[in-house]
């Protein structure tokens, strides 16, 4: 659900359904963060898939 109560101006900017792949797009500049990537509105789904897959394929990020 939406994290803000009715009447809160931030509510109109929040998403009702989150895409968990957004975590692969966020970057704080740390070594463990995914590389900086320019996302587009047209290709966002494919672009998020690419960065998520690249993160998971790195031995530094995922170990079995």
């Amino acid at each position: 659900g939406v994290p803000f109560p009715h009447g809160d101006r931030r509510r109109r900017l929040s998403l009702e359904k989150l895409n968990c792949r957004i975590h692969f797009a966020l970057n704080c500049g740390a070594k463990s963060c995914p590389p900086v990537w320019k996302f587009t509105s047209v290709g966002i789904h494919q672009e998020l898939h690419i960065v998520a897959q690249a993160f998971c394929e790195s031995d530094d990020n995922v170990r079995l």
Side-chain angles (χ1 to χ4, degrees):
V2 177
F4 304 109
H6 289 287
D8 190 317
R9 294 185 311 172
R10 296 173 293 176
R11 187 179 177 95
R12 67 182 177 86
L13 302 173
S14 64
L15 302 173
E16 291 193 24
K17 184 178 178 185
L18 296 178
N19 185 326
C20 296
R21 298 177 300 176
I22 194 67
H23 295 286
F24 299 105
L26 303 174
N27 189 310
C28 70
K31 181 181 177 189
S32 61
C33 278
V36 176
W37 185 279
K38 181 181 175 187
F39 296 91
T40 64
S41 59
V42 174
I44 189 70
H45 293 291
Q46 182 180 12
E47 294 161 358
L48 286 173
H49 177 80
I50 290 167
V51 295
Q53 186 174 4
F55 182 87
C56 293
E57 287 177 350
S58 172
D59 291 338
D60 292 332
N61 299 322
V62 178
R63 294 185 190 122
L64 299 176

